[in-house]
C-alpha cells in the first residue's frame, strides 16, 4: 500500500523532472539486496543494518485501531472482531502488538497484503491496527482508539551510491513526497 498510496500517484512528477531516470517500483514483503545490487534504492520499515548500506529515516508512521465507518450491527462470535496480517508476517511490530493486546480467539481473519486487510475492515469484517496515514485515506474507515505504536520508514541505498546523481534525485524526491502526508498520521520527525 505504501507505494500504491503515496508514491505511484505522484511518480509522474518525478518522471517529468528527471526524464532520463527509469523507475521500477517493486512492492514486495521480502527485502531486495541493496548490497548485492538487486535494487538501487529501497523503502523499508526498519533502519538499515548490514555492510555497505546507508539510509535516512523518511518518516515515522503512526498506527491506530480502525473499523468500518458504518456498524454492521449485531453479529455472532467474538466482539470486537479483529483482522490481522497473515502469520507469515507475525514478526512485524503491528502483528506483535496484536499478539500482546488481543485474544487470539477474537481474530476472525488473517490476510496479506495490507490492502486486503484494509478492504476487509472497511467491509465490516472487524477492526485492525492500521497505519493512520493509509487508513485516513479511506472514507469507509474510522479511527476508534489512540495511536498504539509507531514504525519508522527508511530510505536505503548502497553507501557507495549516496552521492550518485540519480540516487540523490530519487532520494530527494521521496523526501519531498513524504512532506505531503497529512499531519497527525506521522510522528513528528523534528
Amino acid at each position: 500500500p505504501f507505494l500504491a498510496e503515496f508514491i505511484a500517484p505522484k511518480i509522474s512528477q518525478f518522471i517529468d523532472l528527471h526524464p532520463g531516470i527509469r523507475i521500477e517500483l517493486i512492492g514486495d514483503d521480502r527485502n531486495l539486496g541493496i548490497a548485492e545490487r538487486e535494487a538501487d534504492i529501497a523503502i523499508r520499515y526498519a533502519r538499515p543494518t548490514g555492510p555497505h548500506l546507508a539510509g535516512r529515516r523518511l518518516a515515522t508512521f503512526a498506527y491506530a485501531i480502525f473499523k468500518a465507518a458504518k456498524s454492521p450491527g449485531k453479529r455472532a462470535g467474538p466482539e470486537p472482531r479483529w483482522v490481522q496480517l497473515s502469520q507469515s508476517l507475525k514478526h512485524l511490530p503491528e502483528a506483535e502488538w496484536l499478539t500482546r493486546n488481543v485474544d487470539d480467539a477474537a481474530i476472525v481473519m488473517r490476510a496479506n497484503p495490507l490492502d486486503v486487510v484494509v478492504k476487509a475492515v472497511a467491509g465490516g469484517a472487524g477492526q485492525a491496527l492500521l497505519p493512520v496515514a493509509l487508513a485516513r485515506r479511506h472514507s469507509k474507515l474510522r479511527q476508534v482508539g489512540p495511536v498504539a505504536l509507531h514504525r519508522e520508514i527508511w530510505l536505503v541505498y548502497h553507501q557507495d551510491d549516496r552521492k550518485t546523481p540519480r540516487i540523490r534525485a530519487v532520494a530527494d524526491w521521496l523526501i519531498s513526497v513524504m512532506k505531503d502526508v497529512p499531519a497527525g498520521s506521522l510522528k513528528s520527525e523534528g
Side-chain angles (χ1 to χ4, degrees), residues 15-121:
I15 294 166
D16 290 344
L17 289 169
H18 305 281
I21 299 175
R22 186 177 311 182
I23 298 293
E24 183 176 0
L25 296 177
I26 302 171
D28 202 329
D29 288 335
R30 66 186 175 90
N31 289 334
L32 296 175
I34 301 291
E36 296 79 16
R37 304 299 187 165
E38 291 179 320
D40 293 324
I41 196 166
I43 298 171
R44 296 198 177 145
Y45 285 89
R47 169 176 272 189
T49 59
H52 313 295
L53 297 180
R56 174 182 173 163
R57 186 174 60 204
L58 276 178
T60 302
F61 275 15
Y63 281 67
I65 300 166
F66 286 82
K67 69 178 189 178
K70 285 187 167 184
S71 174
K74 185 74 175 139
R75 301 183 292 198
E79 286 294 338
R81 293 178 175 188
W82 286 86
V83 179
Q84 182 181 25
L85 288 168
S86 295
Q87 285 293 94
S88 63
L89 301 173
K90 66 183 177 183
H91 63 283
L92 297 178
E94 56 270 36
E96 291 174 348
W97 183 92
L98 278 167
T99 299
R100 288 190 311 272
N101 293 284
V102 175
D103 183 358
D104 193 61
I107 298 171
V108 296
M109 178 184 166
R110 288 186 171 91
N112 190 28
L114 181 60
D115 57 337
V116 174
V117 172
V118 168
K119 299 239 186 252
V121 170

Side-chain angles (χ1 to χ4, degrees), residues 1-2 4-6 66-70 114-123 130-143 182:
F2 182 86
E5 293 287 336
F6 300 108
F66 286 82
K67 69 178 189 178
K70 285 187 167 184
L114 181 60
D115 57 337
V116 174
V117 172
V118 168
K119 299 239 186 252
V121 170
L130 299 172
V132 173
L134 175 66
R136 285 190 180 162
R137 297 170 75 98
H138 296 274
S139 62
K140 293 183 178 181
L141 296 175
R142 74 178 166 96
Q143 188 171 335

